[in-house]
Amino acid sequence: ETGVTQTPRHLVMGMTNKKSLKCEQHLGHNAMYWYKQSAKKPLELMFVYNFKEQTENNSVPSRFSPECPNSSHLFLHLHTLQPEDSALYLCASSQDDGDQPQHFGDGTRLSIL
Amino acid sequence: GQSLEQPSEVTAVEGAIVQINCTYQTSGFYGLSWYQQHDGGAPTFLSYNALDGLEETGRFSSFLSRSDSYGYLLLQELQMKDSASYFCAVRDWGKLIFGQGTELSVKP
């Protein structure tokens, strides 16, 4: 496998459920990112990890909890989400958190009932 | 505050040339990037300008004027497969800030 892989591609959950999104990159990159993309809105940066350390939390509500066990894997743990959290969640990676291009996964389309 | 402005949509015909503009206002600036996203797909990197001037990569070129806080993406010899959303993005103190995206429709 190559590139950035996200699972699942689609997720429907109730507001009281707990679920996790997974991202895996096979590019040898050291930085990984979570973005939220809502309809008609720009991509919003959520979290940045560089060498497994979180370097950016863009004022994200605590119902979103990231985890980066190693440079190749990134998770987003979800609990008690709200309907407005329905969106496309994109994972990306880059060589480090500088000016290098970011490589994106296809995203997880999340729907909150 | 931080903001990037780009047109919401542009329509052009096959074989034509189209320019997508982006103006930005950020507290810091390290470079202007462009990404392409087809409907339902992942954003893919197109170009990056850190210095003033024109960068050419095949049919696509990108321009930056730091003094004007302005850049553009130029697409030549348009093809149907170029129909997609195009995002400009600015690196501002370590964070990549994206514009709202320009939806390009290429007609036969």
Side-chain angles (χ1 to χ4, degrees):
Chain A
E1 288 189 54
T2 58
V4 180
T5 304
Q6 289 187 244
T7 54
R9 289 296 310 276
H10 302 273
L11 179 61
V12 179
M13 58 187 284
M15 289 190 284
T16 57
N17 291 157
K18 290 185 180 181
K19 296 285 184 183
S20 296
L21 310 185
K22 179 182 176 182
C23 176
E24 186 173 0
Q25 58 96 1
H26 301 272
L27 300 169
H29 290 164
N30 297 307
M32 296 188 76
Y33 312 79
W34 280 117
Y35 287 89
K36 176 183 179 182
Q37 186 176 30
S38 303
K40 307 297 183 186
K41 286 189 174 182
L43 277 78
E44 301 172 51
L45 179 66
M46 300 175 72
F47 302 102
V48 180
Y49 279 81
N50 196 34
F51 291 95
K52 301 189 299 177
E53 298 297 320
Q54 186 180 122
T55 58
E56 183 74 37
N57 177 337
N58 201 25
S59 303
V60 181
S62 59
R63 59 185 183 269
F64 294 92
S65 175
E67 179 189 0
C68 187
N70 54 61
S71 293
S72 299
H73 293 86
L74 186 64
F75 295 90
L76 188 63
H77 304 300
L78 317 171
H79 66 95
T80 324
L81 294 194
Q82 304 298 309
E84 61 265 28
D85 296 323
S86 297
L88 181 67
Y89 288 84
L90 290 159
C91 173
S93 71
S94 61
Q95 188 58 49
D96 58 43
D97 62 354
D99 292 333
Q100 293 79 12
Q102 293 186 12
H103 296 253
F104 284 82
D106 288 330
T108 295
R109 174 71 60 187
L110 177 65
S111 298
I112 307 299
L113 301 178
Chain B
Q2 306 160 331
S3 68
L4 287 87
E5 297 290 330
Q6 52 181 129
S8 58
E9 54 186 39
V10 172
T11 301
V13 296
E14 268 188 303
I17 299 173
V18 72
Q19 178 173 312
I20 301 174
N21 299 321
C22 175
T23 57
Y24 59 87
Q25 181 177 355
T26 55
S27 53
F29 179 81
Y30 293 93
L32 180 69
S33 301
W34 288 93
Y35 286 79
Q36 177 193 61
Q37 185 179 28
H38 285 98
D39 198 27
T44 55
F45 172 79
L46 291 177
S47 66
Y48 174 71
N49 295 66
L51 303 176
D52 288 357
L54 189 69
E55 296 279 345
E56 298 181 62
T57 309
R59 295 188 296 114
F60 294 1
S61 303
S62 57
F63 172 82
L64 174 65
S65 169
R66 295 174 66 128
S67 59
D68 296 321
S69 298
Y70 162 77
Y72 65 72
L73 179 69
L74 189 73
L75 298 86
Q76 303 182 71
E77 301 173 23
L78 280 176
Q79 302 176 10
M80 297 295 289
K81 67 178 182 180
D82 297 329
S83 293
S85 291
Y86 293 84
F87 297 87
C88 59
V90 168
R91 180 163 298 281
D92 180 6
W93 297 116
K95 294 193 303 187
L96 201 59
I97 311 296
F98 283 83
Q100 66 182 32
T102 298
E103 188 172 345
L104 171 65
S105 298
V106 180
K107 306 294 185 184

